[in-house]
Amino acid sequence: MFNVLGCIFYQHNIALVGLAALVCLFGSAVTLRLLRRCVRAQGTQRLGWQFLAAVAGGGGVWTTHFVAMLAYEPTAPVSFDPALTLISLVIAIVGLFVSFVVSGLGSGKILTGMGGALVGISFAAMHYTGMFAYRITGLVEWDFGYIVASVLLSVALSAAAITLIWRTYLGSRRYWVAVALMVTGIVSLHFTGMTALRIIPMSQNFTEVDNGAALALALAIAVVALLVVGTGLTSFLIDNNVRAISKRQLHHVAAHDALTGLPNRTSFQRQLAGHLDGYLNPGKKLAVIGIDLNRFKEINDTFGHAAGDEVLRILARRMEQILRDDEFIARLGGDEFAAIKPFSDKDEILSFAKRIESVFSRPIEIGAMDGIVGASLGAAIWPDDAQTPDELVNNADLAMYHAKHGFLETICFYDANIGATVRNRRQLAEDLRRALERGELEIHYQVQMSLNSSQGIRGYEALLRWTHPVIGPISPSEFIPVAEENGLIASLGAWVLNKACEDASRWEPAYRVAVNVSAVQFMDTNLPRLVHEALVTTGLSPHRLELELTETALVKDKARSLHIMRQIKDLGVGLALDDFGTGYSSLETLRTFPFDKIKLDRAFVGEMEQDRQSKAIVRAVLALGKSLDIPVLAEGIETEEQMEILQQEGCDEGQGFLLGRPSQVDRLIQHGGPVQNEARKQSQPSRKAAASKSEPVDDKDDGSAALRSPLAARS
């Protein structure tokens, strides 16, 4: 040990020794950092990191060796063999590459230790090859014991360093321990090997060594080595930077909505939890605001999903612009958003809500679309309205749902009554879904009769009825809006269309059946196909089916509506304009669209005995129908006086309590209605496979309001 220290301090230039140590430290740190990348890499990527580590490590250890050799001050002239010098560098790089590959072949310590031992052997092979390149004018003797010791130190310390660096979990402290082990192994190898060297000069007179030239050469070698090692370090840093950027991008993708760029549901939950965990300063509360667009589905149905996506992007940008430091808005999915607002005074929430409302009340222009989307807002307050974050969000959702259902134009704050009402409606929606699945729904039929001749019955309108197993009969005016809000209306409509066609196909005489079609169903381009499938499956003649539409179903996209109507007309199915006299009631509608019948709304029929204006409107509609050669059916006839007035004015058909209440199909026989054709019924195959997706029908006068939009409610 003392001989080695004496060799260092008395036979070497300490400045160059320090330079060699610096190069060794830098090279070892970079080499092990690059090798560390191999732990989680696979295939060619692992080989790439192993090669970079070998180049950096070989260049570093080779430079350490030759700078230390230049630091050695012998008592005889020296020179270097260029070929062996170059070969020693190749040995270092190739040896390290093979060693690193072996160390990474398995997950156990045996192969890792073997690879580490090969690293030490590679260092020793490089060192002693370099020593043979060191040509001295004199006699050279070697102490074999020091040679063995130098190799063993290199192998042991290198094996320990490599085994440590391949650990799955390393940590900064263990990494620097591995660096220290490798540096110690290299330094021990070199200076123990130099201690083994004994030089006897051949002559006492020789040219003195130019220390300046040796220093310059050492610096040049060190610079080249540092460039090599620096290249490896740069690769590591670039990879680190790319990984960091990728990690940030992945984190952003995971935490933000891809379409709008707003924070997503995960970010919202994290933000809410952060507020409540670190919460709350005295006098501070927290509001969660649920936001749901009012007319987004109409935009998608009318203008397509691309327009809907662009609307969401525009609204997201607008919402980001109104936010202040303590405010947060996220997109939870679809057209649903949520906001978080800490506050001290309730006026702060109202101010925030007004800014949000301003986002949705400004017009949006996208291609042919130019309109206002609108939104419903509901808020719940922590800790007043909830004891858990989930309950807080759910109550804000209930308040928003209540605002949407009540067509409120301002923010709705949660209270217990709202929660009970909304929960009841949601339970009703679930019960309705089960009723549809279990076949608990029924269709009743209301007669439509001729008023100006002896033709009698002209047909029947199909009306949906639901008797809840616990609550009993539920008014369509109650369950139809629930069906619309919960996405059940399409399934109901499909069932009513097919069931009505199936029932009517067995009637004798062969009366027609009228089925209402909602605005949502009518905008579905598949409607003509669904109607055709219902006719084919049930065997109903097309001229016996009449679809009733309101003007609301037509005005969204007139060109598309006209195209769908023509397809239905081509099937031979009739079309009636329902609820005429209310809504738009545009004469342009009658001129543009090919209706076969006008249905005069019951509101005018019920008032015409006492109200001159209502009677004048009835007369005008009837005259309009005659001039356009379109039959008119008056709804809601309840008295003989109403019947007489309509007959005097030349009304073609009527419908109402006076003529017949809605009844089940088997009870119509008792009132002179259609008789089921049993022979035909038995000969036909089962029609129950006819379910196709469409929308419901109108419900009429039976004391409960009827189905409209798609199943319109009428008193």
Side-chain angles (χ1 to χ4, degrees):
M1 178 67 178
F2 290 106
N3 290 337
V4 173
L5 293 175
C7 175
I8 294 173
F9 287 102
Y10 298 115
Q11 299 181 36
H12 287 77
N13 182 322
I14 297 301
L16 290 180
V17 169
L19 177 60
L22 182 63
V23 171
C24 183
L25 176 63
F26 183 61
S28 298
V30 172
T31 300
L32 293 181
R33 183 63 74 184
L34 292 171
L35 186 61
R36 181 64 189 168
R37 274 283 187 263
C38 302
V39 175
R40 288 184 171 81
Q42 298 293 331
T44 56
Q45 187 182 38
R46 171 176 282 192
L47 287 174
W49 286 116
Q50 288 168 335
F51 177 75
L52 282 175
V55 171
V61 74
W62 181 85
T63 303
T64 299
H65 169 76
F66 274 94
V67 170
M69 290 292 294
L70 290 172
Y72 183 63
E73 297 175 341
T75 57
V78 297
S79 62
F80 290 93
D81 185 316
L84 286 176
T85 301
L86 182 61
I87 290 173
S88 66
L89 175 60
V90 173
I91 288 173
I93 294 175
V94 173
L96 286 181
F97 180 65
V98 173
S99 303
F100 292 157
V101 170
V102 171
S103 69
L105 289 178
S107 57
K109 293 183 178 180
I110 295 178
L111 282 174
T112 305
M114 288 177 57
L118 287 175
V119 169
I121 293 173
S122 300
F123 288 160
M126 180 279 306
H127 172 80
Y128 286 106
T129 302
M131 290 296 294
F132 286 127
Y134 193 65
R135 300 301 172 81
I136 304 174
T137 306
L139 297 175
V140 177
E141 295 179 353
W142 294 92
D143 187 327
F144 188 72
Y146 281 106
I147 293 175
V148 172
S150 68
V151 174
L152 290 178
L153 284 170
S154 176
V155 169
L157 293 171
S158 297
I162 299 303
T163 301
L164 193 60
I165 210 69
W166 275 97
R167 290 177 64 114
T168 303
Y169 301 102
L170 184 64
S172 177
R173 185 175 64 84
R174 287 177 177 170
Y175 163 74
W176 286 109
V177 169
V179 171
L181 287 171
M182 178 170 278
V183 169
T184 304
I186 295 170
V187 170
S188 299
L189 166 69
H190 180 86
F191 289 107
T192 303
M194 292 302 295
T195 303
L197 181 65
R198 296 285 186 274
I199 301 174
I200 301 174
M202 297 290 292
S203 170
Q204 296 298 321
N205 298 316
F206 54 86
T207 305
E208 191 173 333
V209 176
D210 188 348
N211 291 329
L215 178 61
L217 180 59
L219 289 174
I221 294 173
V223 168
V224 172
L226 291 175
L227 289 175
V228 173
V229 176
T231 301
L233 178 61
T234 302
S235 300
F236 171 78
L237 294 176
I238 291 173
D239 180 70
N240 250 12
N241 188 48
V242 170
R243 284 170 179 260
I245 293 173
S246 299
K247 188 175 181 180
R248 286 196 299 270
Q249 290 174 339
L250 288 174
H251 181 269
H252 185 274
V253 169
H256 289 76
D257 173 55
L259 177 64
T260 64
L262 288 176
N264 59 14
R265 184 182 293 274
T266 301
S267 292
F268 173 80
Q269 292 171 340
R270 188 182 299 118
Q271 183 81 3
L272 180 60
H275 274 291
L276 298 183
D277 289 344
Y279 172 85
L280 254 174
N281 294 330
K284 278 278 188 179
K285 295 184 178 182
L286 189 75
V288 170
I289 302 174
I291 306 167
D292 191 74
L293 307 191
N294 290 338
R295 286 176 285 278
F296 184 69
K297 191 175 188 306
E298 294 180 17
I299 293 172
N300 272 339
D301 292 339
T302 306
F303 299 100
H305 290 282
D309 290 346
E310 184 59 25
V311 166
L312 291 176
R313 282 190 285 265
I314 292 173
L315 293 174
R317 288 195 296 270
R318 290 181 180 178
M319 283 189 281
E320 287 180 317
Q321 292 170 358
I322 67 163
L323 291 179
R324 295 175 182 169
D325 291 341
D326 60 345
E327 298 166 352
F328 180 88
I329 289 182
R331 183 191 180 204
L332 304 186
D335 61 344
E336 185 181 354
F337 300 83
I340 298 174
K341 170 69 175 178
F343 70 97
S344 301
D345 190 286
K346 197 171 182 179
D347 288 341
E348 296 177 45
I349 304 178
L350 296 175
S351 174
F352 183 38
K354 286 181 181 178
R355 282 185 277 128
I356 296 175
E357 289 165 1
S358 69
V359 167
F360 297 99
S361 62
R362 287 158 51 193
I364 294 178
E365 297 182 14
I366 302 176
M369 191 195 82
D370 181 6
I372 296 173
V373 178
S376 299
L377 277 62
I381 308 300
W382 177 278
D384 300 352
D385 299 331
Q387 296 181 347
T388 66
D390 288 343
E391 186 182 5
L392 181 66
V393 174
N394 184 63
N395 289 344
D397 184 55
L398 293 177
M400 180 272 295
Y401 187 87
H402 183 78
K404 195 176 192 71
H405 175 66
F407 302 102
L408 303 181
E409 296 183 357
T410 57
I411 188 171
C412 174
F413 288 89
Y414 173 83
D415 62 38
N417 292 333
I418 287 176
T421 300
V422 173
R423 277 188 284 269
N424 289 339
R425 291 178 69 83
R426 289 184 172 176
Q427 183 60 51
L428 191 64
E430 186 59 32
D431 292 345
L432 181 58
R433 182 179 288 106
R434 285 196 291 266
L436 184 60
E437 294 171 353
R438 297 172 182 174
E440 297 175 359
L441 301 173
E442 294 181 312
I443 294 183
H444 289 195
Y445 295 91
Q446 187 172 32
V447 67
Q448 296 176 334
M449 301 188 68
S450 173
L451 299 185
N452 58 9
S453 69
S454 58
Q455 293 176 355
I457 298 174
R458 302 297 299 274
Y460 289 84
E461 181 174 6
L463 309 169
L464 185 60
R465 293 291 182 266
W466 178 27
T467 301
H468 193 282
V470 177
I471 302 174
I474 298 180
S475 168
S477 63
E478 183 176 353
F479 73 77
I480 293 306
V482 170
E484 292 175 328
E485 294 161 4
N486 291 274
L488 296 174
I489 205 68
S491 300
L492 286 177
W495 183 83
V496 170
L497 176 64
N498 284 279
K499 179 63 175 170
C501 290
E502 182 181 3
D503 287 344
S505 68
R506 297 193 291 266
W507 289 348
E508 286 293 344
Y511 298 123
R512 70 165 183 259
V513 63
V515 179
N516 275 24
V517 177
S518 75
V520 175
Q521 179 187 359
F522 187 70
M523 293 309 295
D524 185 356
T525 54
N526 290 321
L527 178 61
R529 179 181 59 81
L530 298 175
V531 173
H532 181 257
E533 288 178 357
L535 294 172
V536 171
T537 307
T538 61
L540 183 68
S541 177
H543 75 273
R544 293 181 56 201
L545 176 63
E546 183 176 84
L547 300 183
E548 297 184 359
L549 313 172
T550 62
E551 283 187 279
T552 306
L554 307 175
V555 296
K556 293 179 179 179
D557 189 338
K558 291 186 177 180
R560 184 164 154 185
S561 299
L562 184 59
H563 177 66
I564 294 173
M565 289 182 71
R566 285 172 176 166
Q567 288 180 293
I568 295 174
K569 291 281 287 183
D570 288 342
L571 296 174
V573 175
L575 295 171
L577 177 58
D578 199 11
D579 296 344
F580 190 78
T582 63
Y584 297 93
S585 298
S586 168
L587 299 181
E588 175 68 15
T589 300
L590 294 175
R591 186 183 72 84
T592 304
F593 298 103
F595 284 108
D596 301 293
K597 182 186 295 183
I598 297 172
K599 296 192 71 176
L600 179 62
D601 189 80
R602 60 179 292 104
F604 301 104
V605 175
E607 297 291 331
M608 66 181 180
E609 295 173 87
Q610 296 85 22
D611 183 39
R612 290 178 55 193
Q613 291 181 336
S614 295
K615 186 174 182 179
I617 290 174
V618 170
R619 183 179 292 119
V621 172
L622 294 174
L624 178 63
K626 286 182 174 58
S627 64
L628 296 175
D629 198 23
I630 302 176
V632 177
L633 182 148
E635 301 178 290
I637 303 174
E638 298 182 0
T639 67
E640 293 288 350
E641 290 78 7
Q642 293 170 357
M643 173 81 81
E644 290 178 6
I645 294 173
L646 292 169
Q647 288 175 330
Q648 291 172 5
E649 298 296 336
C651 184
D652 300 285
E653 297 178 26
Q655 177 179 347
F657 285 175
L658 181 66
L659 303 176
R661 289 177 176 270
S663 303
Q664 294 175 322
V665 66
D666 55 352
R667 294 178 60 190
L668 295 178
I669 302 171
Q670 303 172 19
H671 299 87
V675 179
Q676 300 286 351
N677 187 330
E678 294 299 330
R680 183 180 174 194
K681 185 176 180 181
Q682 294 172 5
S683 65
Q684 287 181 345
S686 173
R687 311 290 188 187
K688 298 218 175 162
S692 60
K693 295 194 176 182
S694 89
E695 302 263 352
V697 280
D698 263 32
D699 198 350
K700 306 284 183 186
D701 322 330
D702 66 341
S704 66
L707 305 174
R708 185 178 301 164
S709 166
L711 302 145
R714 300 180 189 168
S715 59

